[in-house]
Each structure stands twice: as structure tokens, then as C-alpha cells.
């Protein structure tokens, strides 16, 4: 291995209570909200094909026009209690809010940048009421913070000369001040979700990223921060030059999921996902495929089955309301979570051989293994092959506790048959297992 001063300082996952809490939550709500929602992906009668929160970079949108939008930001229909209530109904256990996206507009009245909510017609802090409402609903809050800041005069993508380096230094102080300000104003938040850390100016100062992470932990011990913040002294990101994960979880899964357990290398990880193909902030005209509740549930279940967290993104409108498609998703996902949430919360990789019908999830530290069925086989036979030294002792439908009698088809291998093959939502079966052979509950499990 290479000697590194600013590579990973920990081998393996965090084992403290704050990280265990993050792991137990499994399902989060991402919210991208800012002045870009005023444009809504359109300008001068033209539709922007990129991600709505990037419209300032569109050649049809003059920077000075975008930079005036904040004068119209007045979310008169913003109702944080309603936001928190619908997130709770969806079954989200944590929420990530954009405090400041790449455009640099701050949703809180920052002392360190005038480009903030106090300068808008709304004037008031948006983050405080939001964090309070979500916390009151039993939902933890994490703060998205973009290092890239297109508004700040000292931001440099790269440092080409002494003047750039001086500006870069001033910018690092600015970043540190804003983050300390956020921790001081919002002491109940559980971590940061950093973005915009790919520019050379950031990744070529691994020492600063390391010191910053330690500085934030010193102010608020236990913060959970993913792998996007750090670089090592050779400019390696996410994984240091020895291949070790920096930060508390792998934060690279953006609009994509791992396929199999080997893809996550034993690390904690989180996937963040858009409802349309690629829109985070509000876009008036969603283009391309819009995911259904069942598609999203499959991504959530697949993530948990592979030991990860899954965060679904929402882009509220400039007035503070959510579009109907997003409201309907929260309702439909929530209806399933209300019945089947037990299979998600505290869910982990079960160690069973993957079958075509869907995914296994083990409730952490227990003998309970859930089967979440997405693909009903024409044969009606759901194959279950027990891992070595693991024995099946009971099978029931999660929703109504109806027991099933497995058909033994081989050594610790079974077919399960559902009471009825028709379902337009995923079906969950609860397997009770044991590491001791023999004590079978009820059912004879022998050859039918
Ligand atoms: C391809 O480059 C990017 C850069 C930034 C992003 C940002 N990360 C997501 C979480 C959103 O905030 C998006 O704007 C996405 C793609």
C-alpha cells in the first residue's frame, strides 16, 4: 500500500450508534428546491433538455437573467408540516434538503453570502421550519451542500496562478464558515450530503478536505458524511489511492444501482434516484420515462437487499407545492410501505442465493428473512434454496400472517406457492430460519 496522510483513516464500516441509525433508516426523501424552480426548465418559451437545476449553464439562459430570479422567489404555499406529513406517509425515515445547490443560492439567511433567502420576497429562513417539521414527524434531516458555487466571486474550477490560489484559499474559508453556520443554526441535523466536488481546485487539495471533515466532526461528533467530500493527497476521490473508501458510506450511486453484493465491496452505500430520467429540480415538462411506484419499490427493495440505503428525489415547485405525479407516488409507495415496511427498515443482505422472483432481505440481527416477490413465475413455484447451515422453520405471508407449506424439492431446497398468483404490487413472504436443524413450526415441509 501507498503511504497516505489524507486517505481513509478507518478500515471497514463505522460501528457507532449514529451510523447504525443511518443504516436502519434505509429509505430517504431527497428534496431539490431553489430559485431554479422558478424557471422550471424553461426560458423565453424554450424548453431546456438538461437537468432543471442546471439551467443557468444553458446557452439560452443569460447568467444575469438567472441571477435575478431570486427576486421572484416567494413560496407562498410552502407548508413544512404538510411536506413532513406526506414524507412520513410515504415511509421515508430521513430527508436530504438542498441548502445550497451549484448556483450558490442559500435557503437560509447566511451571514457569509448575500445571495440568500433574506434577499428574496419570502425573506424568512426556509430550512429551520422544514427541519423542525420533519424532526417532529420522526424523520431525520441531512443537509445537501454544493461545494461548487457559481455565485461566489472566489470560486475557481482550477487554480492556474497565484491569484487563483489566493481566491481558492478565501473560498475554502467561506465553505468552512457556511458549514459551521449550518451546524450552529441546525444542531439536530444528522449529516451532510456533499456534491460538486469534482473540480480540480477541490480534489487537488486532499489535505483540506480531510481537515474539513475532521473539523465538522469536532463541532458535531457522529455526523454521517458520504464519500463525495474527500480526496486524498493524490486527487483520488471516493476511494483513496489504496482503494479504501473515504467517508462513511459510498456515495457514488446516483441514478444507478449495484447489481450484486460484490459490487458494494462490503461498504455501506446509498443510492439517490430521480423520478424522471434525469431531473432533480422542478422541470415543468418531464421528458422520457417517468418511474411508477412499483419500479421505485423494486429499486428500494433491491438496494436494501444489497445492504444499502435508497433515496427518492422530489423537486417542489417555486410556490412550495409538489406536482401531482410526485404526490401520487408518495401516496402509492406509502400504501405499500404501511403494510410491508417491516421488510425494509433495519433490512440487510440476507446471504441467500438470488432467485428470479425477486429479493431476500434479512432483518438485521434476526432469523427473519423476507422474500419480496416482483416476478411471479408462470409455474407458480417460488424456489427457495437455503444457505449452508441455515434451516427453514416457518413460512407466512407478511400482510396477513397466513402460513404457507413449502414443498421440499431437494436438500434444504423448497418450492413455495402463493395463495393467489395475481398481485399488482410486490408480495412479501416472511421466512423464519434457524442455524439449528429440526425445529420446524407446524408445517410438515416434506414432499407433497
Ligand atoms: C453529470 O454531472 C452532474 C453534476 C451534478 C449533478 C448533481 N448531483 C445530483 C444529486 C443533483 O444535485 C445534480 O444537479 C448531477 C450530474
Amino acid at each position: 500500500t501507498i503511504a497516505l496522510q489524507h486517505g481513509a483513516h478507518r478500515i471497514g464500516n463505522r460501528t457507532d450508534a449514529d451510523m447504525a441509525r443511518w443504516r436502519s433508516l434505509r429509505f430517504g426523501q431527497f428534496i431539490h428546491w431553489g430559485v431554479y424552480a422558478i424557471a422550471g426548465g424553461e426560458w423565453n418559451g424554450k424548453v431546456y433538455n438538461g437537468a432543471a437545476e442546471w439551467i443557468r449553464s444553458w446557452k439560452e439562459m443569460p447568467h444575469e437573467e438567472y441571477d435575478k430570479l431570486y427576486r421572484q422567489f416567494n413560496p407562498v404555499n410552502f407548508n413544512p408540516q404538510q411536506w413532513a406529513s406526506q414524507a412520513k406517509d410515504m415511509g421515508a425515515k430521513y430527508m436530504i434538503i438542498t441548502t445550497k445547490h451549484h448556483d450558490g443560492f442559500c435557503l437560509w439567511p447566511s451571514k457569509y453570502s448575500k445571495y440568500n433567502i433574506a434577499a428574496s420576497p419570502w425573506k424568512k429562513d426556509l430550512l429551520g421550519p422544514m427541519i423542525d417539521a420533519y424532526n417532529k414527524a420522526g424523520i431525520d434531516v441531512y443537509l445537501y451542500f454544493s461545494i461548487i458555487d457559481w455565485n461566489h466571486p472566489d470560486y475557481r474550477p482550477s487554480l492556474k496562478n497565484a491569484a487563483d490560489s489566493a481566491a481558492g484559499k478565501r473560498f475554502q474559508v467561506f465553505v468552512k464558515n457556511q458549514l459551521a453556520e449550518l451546524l450552529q443554526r441546525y444542531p439536530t441535523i444528522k449529516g451532510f450530503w456533499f456534491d460538486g466536488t469534482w473540480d480540480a481546485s477541490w480534489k487537488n487539495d486532499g489535505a483540506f478536505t480531510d481537515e474539513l471533515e475532521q473539523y465538522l466532526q469536532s463541532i458535531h461528533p457522529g455526523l454521517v458524511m458520504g464519500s463525495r467530500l474527500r480526496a486524498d493527497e493524490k486527487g483520488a476521490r471516493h476511494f483513496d489511492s489504496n482503494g479504501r473508501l473515504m467517508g462513511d458510506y459510498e456515495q457514488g450511486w446516483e441514478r444507478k444501482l449495484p447489481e450484486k453484493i460484490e459490487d458494494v465491496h462490503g461498504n455501506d452505500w446509498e443510492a439517490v434516484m430521480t423520478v424522471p430520467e434525469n431531473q432533480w429540480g422542478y422541470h415543468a415538462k418531464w421528458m422520457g420515462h417517468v418511474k411508477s411506484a412499483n419500479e421505485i419499490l423494486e429499486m428500494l427493495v433491491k438496494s436494501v437487499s444489497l445492504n444499502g440505503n435508497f433515496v427518492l428525489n422530489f423537486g417542489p415547485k417555486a410556490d412550495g407545492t409538489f406536482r401531482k405525479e410526485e404526490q401520487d407516488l408518495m401516496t402509492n409507495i406509502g400504501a405499500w410501505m404501511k403494510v410491508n415496511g417491516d421488510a425494509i427498515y433495519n433490512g440487510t443482505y440476507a446471504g441467500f442465493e438470488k432467485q428470479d422472483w425477486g429479493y431476500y432481505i434479512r432483518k438485521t440481527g434476526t432469523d427473519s428473512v423476507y422474500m419480496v416477490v416482483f416476478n411471479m413465475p408462470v409455474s407458480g413455484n417460488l424456489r427457495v434454496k437455503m444457505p449452508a447451515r441455515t434451516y427453514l422453520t416457518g413460512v407466512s405471508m407478511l400482510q396477513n400472517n397466513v402460513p404457507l407449506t413449502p414443498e421440499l424439492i431437494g436438500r434444504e431446497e423448497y418450492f413455495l406457492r402463493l395463495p393467489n398468483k395475481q398481485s399488482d404490487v410486490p408480495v412479501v413472504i416472511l421466512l423464519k430460519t434457524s442455524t439449528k436443524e429440526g425445529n420446524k413450526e407446524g408445517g410438515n415441509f416434506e414432499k407433497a
Side-chain angles (χ1 to χ4, degrees), residues 309-345:
N309 285 8
F310 179 79
V311 182
L312 183 63
N313 180 73
F314 294 82
K317 297 181 185 175
D319 74 342
T321 62
F322 286 70
R323 68 199 309 145
K324 179 148 180 22
E325 301 94 319
E326 292 185 349
Q327 290 186 33
D328 292 347
L329 274 177
M330 285 190 264
T331 304
N332 295 332
I333 290 168
W336 189 87
M337 286 296 288
K338 195 165 173 352
V339 173
N340 301 289
D342 255 4
I344 299 295
Y345 307 125

Side-chain angles (χ1 to χ4, degrees), residues 30 32 36 51-54 98 101-102 144 146 148 150 193-198 228 251 254-255 272-274 278-281 313:
F30 216 149
H32 275 71
Y36 39 77
E53 69 284 357
W54 274 75
T98 48
H101 204 261
H102 311 329
Y144 170 108
S146 172
I148 283 183
W150 295 325
W193 203 95
F194 289 105
D195 201 5
T197 55
W198 55 80
R228 274 191 198 196
Q251 198 186 349
E254 181 172 316
R255 295 193 302 119
V272 291
M273 192 59 67
T274 51
N278 186 13
Q279 292 298 335
W280 300 87
N313 180 73

Side-chain angles (χ1 to χ4, degrees), residues 226-371:
S227 58
R228 274 191 198 196
L229 174 65
R230 295 269 303 282
D232 72 8
E233 57 260 52
K234 300 183 184 312
R237 295 181 61 230
H238 294 280
F239 296 90
D240 71 16
S241 303
N242 292 318
R244 293 197 181 117
L245 184 70
M246 294 180 280
D248 302 322
Y249 61 90
E250 190 189 349
Q251 198 186 349
W253 302 98
E254 181 172 316
R255 295 193 302 119
K256 60 181 191 276
L257 297 180
E259 200 45 49
K260 53 196 185 310
I261 196 65
E262 293 76 16
D263 296 342
V264 301
H265 312 290
N267 296 315
D268 284 308
W269 62 277
E270 175 195 78
V272 291
M273 192 59 67
T274 51
V275 172
E277 283 169 19
N278 186 13
Q279 292 298 335
W280 300 87
Y282 175 72
H283 197 303
K285 291 193 175 50
W286 275 357
M287 291 161 273
H289 181 70
V290 176
K291 297 172 190 74
S292 67
N294 278 338
E295 285 176 76
I296 288 162
L297 283 171
E298 179 154 8
M299 292 178 172
L300 169 61
V301 168
K302 181 172 181 177
S303 298
V304 177
S305 78
L306 295 174
N307 241 16
N309 285 8
F310 179 79
V311 182
L312 183 63
N313 180 73
F314 294 82
K317 297 181 185 175
D319 74 342
T321 62
F322 286 70
R323 68 199 309 145
K324 179 148 180 22
E325 301 94 319
E326 292 185 349
Q327 290 186 33
D328 292 347
L329 274 177
M330 285 190 264
T331 304
N332 295 332
I333 290 168
W336 189 87
M337 286 296 288
K338 195 165 173 352
V339 173
N340 301 289
D342 255 4
I344 299 295
Y345 307 125
N346 293 293
T348 58
Y349 175 62
F352 278 54
E353 178 187 306
K354 174 89 173 59
Q355 301 288 347
D356 292 341
W357 45 256
Y359 309 88
Y360 292 104
I361 293 172
R362 175 186 297 282
K363 178 160 301 290
T364 189
T366 75
D367 288 332
S368 294
V369 171
Y370 300 92
M371 293 169 55

Side-chain angles (χ1 to χ4, degrees), residues 23-244:
R23 216 173 270 133
S24 72
L25 304 179
R26 287 308 187 213
F27 186 25
Q29 177 190 50
F30 216 149
I31 292 184
H32 275 71
W33 197 34
V35 297
Y36 39 77
I38 296 166
E42 298 178 321
W43 189 255
N44 261 355
K46 293 194 185 79
V47 175
Y48 175 48
N49 289 330
E53 69 284 357
W54 274 75
I55 195 168
R56 189 178 184 276
S57 65
W58 182 30
K59 66 180 184 339
E60 304 288 336
M61 164 68 94
H63 286 177
E64 55 281 357
E65 287 303 315
Y66 183 92
D67 295 345
K68 285 190 289 194
L69 287 176
Y70 74 95
R71 297 178 191 163
Q72 302 169 48
F73 196 53
N74 190 19
V76 292
N77 295 323
F78 172 55
N79 178 335
Q81 290 73 25
Q82 219 278 320
W83 283 28
S85 167
Q86 63 187 16
K88 182 177 183 178
D89 291 348
M90 176 174 74
K93 293 290 186 188
Y94 67 110
M95 186 273 276
I96 306 169
I97 176 68
T98 48
T99 60
K100 178 179 90 169
H101 204 261
H102 311 329
D103 61 3
F105 183 71
C106 307
L107 296 192
W108 81 100
S110 175
K111 292 202 297 281
Y112 301 99
S113 163
K114 289 192 174 7
Y115 190 46
N116 74 57
I117 193 70
S120 76
W122 183 257
K123 293 195 188 325
K124 304 176 290 297
D125 178 21
L126 288 168
L127 296 184
M130 211 187 285
I131 294 163
D132 290 348
Y134 274 81
N135 287 170
K136 281 194 177 62
I139 299 175
D140 286 352
V141 175
Y142 287 73
L143 302 183
Y144 170 108
F145 184 91
S146 172
I147 299 296
I148 283 183
D149 184 326
W150 295 325
N151 180 269
H152 198 283
D154 288 333
Y155 187 73
R156 301 284 183 284
S158 65
L159 308 179
K160 297 190 181 63
N161 52 45
D164 282 353
S165 297
K169 279 288 163 238
R170 291 193 300 269
F171 187 76
Q172 288 180 338
V173 170
F174 163 69
V175 166
K176 207 170 159 179
N177 284 335
Q178 280 207 315
L179 292 171
E181 179 181 46
L182 286 166
L183 286 176
Q184 187 273 324
R185 290 179 61 90
Y186 312 113
T188 68
I189 60 109
K190 299 292 185 183
F192 285 108
W193 203 95
F194 289 105
D195 201 5
T197 55
W198 55 80
D199 279 344
S201 55
W202 185 262
K203 72 180 182 190
N204 290 345
D205 193 344
F208 177 72
T209 70
D210 190 8
E211 286 147 23
L212 178 62
E213 187 181 65
Q214 296 184 47
Y215 169 70
L216 296 172
Q217 287 288 1
S218 71
I219 301 177
H220 186 133
L223 283 177
V224 175
M225 296 177 275
S227 58
R228 274 191 198 196
L229 174 65
R230 295 269 303 282
D232 72 8
E233 57 260 52
K234 300 183 184 312
R237 295 181 61 230
H238 294 280
F239 296 90
D240 71 16
S241 303
N242 292 318
R244 293 197 181 117

